[in-house]
Amino acid sequence: MAMAAILLLILALFSNSKADQDFDVRQHLSTVTRYSAVKDIVDDSFLPSDIPDGCTPIHLNLVARHGTRTPTKKRMRELEKLAAHVQELVKDAKEKNLSLQKVPAWLQKWESPWKGKLTGGELDIKGEEEMYQLGIRVRERFPDIFNEEYHPDVYPIKTTQVPRASASAVAFGMGLFSGKGSLGPGRHRAFAVTSESRASDLVLRFFDCCQTYKDFRKNHGPAVDNLKEPILTEITSALARRYEFNFTRQDISSLWFLCKQETSLLDITDQACSLFSPTEVALLEWTDDLEVFILKGYGKSLNYRMGVPLLKDVVQSMEEAIKAKEDNQAPGSYEKARLRFAHAETVVPFSCLLGLFLEGSDFQRIQKEEPLGLPPKPPQNRNWRGSTVAPFAGNNMLVLYSCPANSSSKYFVQVLHNEHPTRMPGCGGTDFCPFEVFEERIVRPHLKHDYNTLCNVNLDQPKQKPETTTGTTTF
């Protein structure tokens, strides 16, 4: 019996060691995750549909988040405060002749890579590449859609007024239309990118025009912090013991943020991230995912119902494509793709409107307007992960197919998330859904909710000028 117990202990230790070796922190940074690290993570239990013979794509809707960005000015100042506090702790330890042997050498002399930088939040060069390559892949995957001569009415590109989103749209367009023009060695061509005012963009910045939502985020932010607090406290104590260094909870929060920024922007995983064990990273990731779930996702129905203007815009574009097909309109005279670039606050609610990333029978619960439980805590598995729901450059594509007359339906919708077919609970768990079923089961239940009523919009008031200081911080 004693020998068996020892063998079990050795096996458990070996299994944990193997799991730690296989752990890739680049895939566990919630919504700060780079697209390349997670774009090919799929549900192995789901078998995508075989597109029936004779079915051809006739229209594509894209809703994408901007690519990898730099930290905002506010977060850069936070990292400078972290550096200053660490230096104070090091100085204090030396004055008291305390050992710093367990404190990593890099941390003792660390300065923020963004120290002194005056601007932030812009699209990073890695984000440019993400969007450029995405544009190339989309064109190559759907040659039947992108076979027309460019015209802004055929391939409209829409973005929010936030520079990282519009820059992402430009990078995507450069990839999409590369080799199709006469500009420079890459034979690029000019193309139009349009946006609405921040103060009235109900399609892509519905969250910033919704007073009810802004009040909800303001009122529930402290509650989310309270949910995260026990995990931060536990990990703060663990790191203080491990490194014999007087870390505060704010230090740990900032070091976790630094871990995400170093990994996504600088490809550094052996500094801030290495301070945490894989178990601790998984817990910190979970706290970030909770915040996304509660304040942007299924945690409150308002979060996604306010996105109905976007859902209507998507369905309207499909209906127009069907009409063009039925009327045999001449090629080049109608829209073939509607391409949108925005933020996590846009992509996350849109994914929820489609019913993606739900657990078990949760789709029926949201249809009945019943509240959902929080995503399971590690080590339990969960579908809701910020790193796959809305990484940098995360996207949903809805592809409209025209099928032969002998099919069960003339038109089908296929949903791709991060370029992979994904199941729609509202369509029986398939990724390839008859258009009328998609409209009936997924779209129509949401349309009973009026945006102006949900968001307490006073239509009689004059529109305010957009002010960056009063809007919701976008990611």
Side-chain angles (χ1 to χ4, degrees):
M1 290 291 290
M3 181 61 70
I6 292 171
L7 287 173
L8 285 173
L9 178 60
I10 292 172
L11 182 62
L13 290 172
F14 175 78
S15 298
N16 288 338
S17 175
K18 180 70 166 63
D20 286 358
Q21 289 174 7
D22 293 341
F23 186 86
D24 187 348
V25 71
R26 295 173 299 175
Q27 299 175 347
H28 295 273
L29 305 177
S30 195
T31 57
V32 190
T33 302
R34 280 240 300 272
Y35 190 60
S36 59
V38 292
K39 77 178 183 67
D40 292 325
I41 295 178
V42 296
D43 180 359
D44 292 332
S45 67
F46 175 63
L47 187 63
S49 302
D50 291 324
I51 305 301
D53 291 340
C55 293
T56 56
I58 61 170
H59 188 273
L60 182 144
N61 273 284
L62 171 69
V63 179
R65 187 189 179 196
H66 58 77
T68 299
R69 68 162 190 181
T70 64
T72 62
K73 288 188 288 186
K74 178 181 178 181
R75 301 310 296 265
M76 287 191 291
R77 299 296 85 79
E78 177 186 333
L79 292 178
E80 290 186 19
K81 289 179 181 178
L82 170 67
H85 187 240
V86 168
Q87 289 305 311
E88 286 177 13
L89 292 176
V90 169
K91 181 181 177 183
D92 185 61
K94 288 179 177 178
E95 288 176 351
K96 295 178 179 178
N97 293 319
L98 300 176
S99 173
L100 291 170
Q101 185 176 356
K102 293 188 176 181
V103 181
W106 71 265
L107 183 59
Q108 295 185 40
K109 56 184 180 181
W110 178 79
E111 287 189 345
S112 171
W114 298 279
K115 181 179 180 180
K117 195 169 183 290
L118 300 178
T119 58
E122 72 274 14
L123 188 69
D124 183 72
I125 189 170
K126 290 180 172 61
E128 294 178 13
E129 185 68 20
E130 285 168 340
M131 304 309 295
Y132 178 75
Q133 294 297 335
L134 178 61
I136 291 174
R137 289 194 301 272
V138 169
R139 182 188 69 196
E140 292 177 346
R141 183 168 186 166
F142 299 105
D144 290 337
I145 290 179
F146 296 100
N147 59 357
E148 302 286 351
E149 185 70 23
Y150 169 75
H151 190 278
D153 292 340
V154 179
Y155 302 115
I157 302 176
K158 301 175 182 293
T159 175
T160 69
Q161 284 194 325
V162 179
R164 57 181 169 270
S166 55
S168 294
V170 170
F172 178 92
M174 289 180 70
L176 183 68
F177 301 120
S178 59
K180 295 291 187 80
S182 59
L183 301 177
R187 294 178 51 228
H188 294 290
R189 65 151 303 134
F191 52 88
V193 174
T194 62
S195 62
E196 294 285 335
S197 163
R198 290 194 196 196
S200 58
D201 189 354
L202 299 188
V203 173
L204 295 179
R205 287 188 68 88
F206 44 80
F207 51 89
D208 219 14
C209 302
C210 185
Q211 187 58 48
T212 309
Y213 174 67
K214 289 193 278 190
D215 291 343
F216 164 72
R217 280 195 62 144
K218 180 180 178 181
N219 294 333
H220 284 74
V224 173
D225 291 339
N226 289 339
L227 280 174
K228 299 165 74 169
E229 187 174 318
I231 299 294
L232 274 175
T233 299
E234 176 186 335
I235 294 176
T236 300
S237 299
L239 264 67
R241 290 192 302 271
R242 186 179 308 150
Y243 299 107
E244 297 180 359
F245 203 59
N246 194 23
F247 288 118
T248 66
R249 200 163 59 219
Q250 180 58 53
D251 292 335
I252 299 308
S253 177
S254 297
L255 284 166
W256 170 234
F257 176 72
L258 175 62
C259 163
K260 293 183 287 188
Q261 297 300 313
E262 284 187 334
T263 303
S264 62
L265 291 169
L266 307 176
D267 291 315
I268 295 173
T269 59
D270 60 354
Q271 289 194 163
C273 290
S274 68
L275 296 173
F276 305 102
S277 70
T279 299
E280 290 163 347
V281 168
L283 287 170
L284 290 166
E285 175 194 21
W286 177 68
T287 63
D288 285 352
D289 290 352
L290 281 184
E291 182 173 344
V292 176
F293 183 88
I294 294 169
L295 298 181
K296 300 174 189 172
Y298 290 114
K300 186 173 179 63
S301 60
L302 171 66
N303 294 347
Y304 52 90
R305 285 183 185 148
M306 65 178 173
V308 164
L310 173 57
L311 184 64
K312 284 182 177 179
D313 188 62
V314 167
V315 174
Q316 178 193 32
S317 71
M318 293 182 186
E319 291 171 340
E320 291 171 355
I322 290 173
K323 186 177 186 303
K325 178 73 173 176
E326 294 292 315
D327 293 347
N328 290 313
Q329 292 182 23
S333 66
Y334 56 90
E335 179 185 285
K336 297 192 74 172
R338 195 170 294 187
L339 310 165
R340 308 170 187 81
F341 300 87
H343 310 274
E345 289 86 351
T346 314
V347 174
V348 172
F350 186 63
S351 295
C352 294
L353 288 169
L354 298 177
L356 309 185
F357 306 107
L358 289 167
E359 310 280 349
S361 61
D362 281 350
F363 183 75
Q364 287 73 31
R365 296 180 67 185
I366 65 167
Q367 294 289 74
K368 296 176 184 176
E369 305 193 8
E370 296 174 357
L372 302 185
L374 296 175
K377 182 180 179 181
Q380 299 177 74
N381 293 325
R382 66 184 185 277
N383 290 334
W384 186 268
R385 309 186 76 94
S387 57
T388 50
V389 175
F392 288 126
N395 58 84
N396 287 315
M397 284 185 272
L398 284 76
V399 187
L400 180 67
Y401 282 82
S402 172
C403 293
N406 60 354
S407 302
S408 59
S409 175
K410 285 187 70 175
Y411 298 97
F412 284 79
V413 178
Q414 185 182 42
V415 173
L416 308 177
H417 180 76
N418 295 344
E419 303 175 65
H420 293 279
T422 188
R423 70 175 89 225
M424 289 181 281
C427 285
T430 182
D431 60 294
F432 196 67
C433 185
F435 178 71
E436 58 272 18
V437 176
F438 177 80
E439 270 199 312
E440 178 66 29
R441 297 184 185 174
I442 293 181
V443 177
R444 194 160 296 161
H446 294 302
L447 298 186
K448 63 185 178 183
H449 300 287
D450 175 67
Y451 180 86
N452 293 326
T453 303
L454 281 173
C455 291
N456 195 26
V457 175
N458 186 344
L459 298 178
D460 295 328
Q461 286 186 347
K463 291 179 180 177
Q464 297 179 347
K465 292 182 179 179
E467 294 182 20
T468 56
T469 54
T470 59
T472 306
T473 301
T474 51
F475 300 93

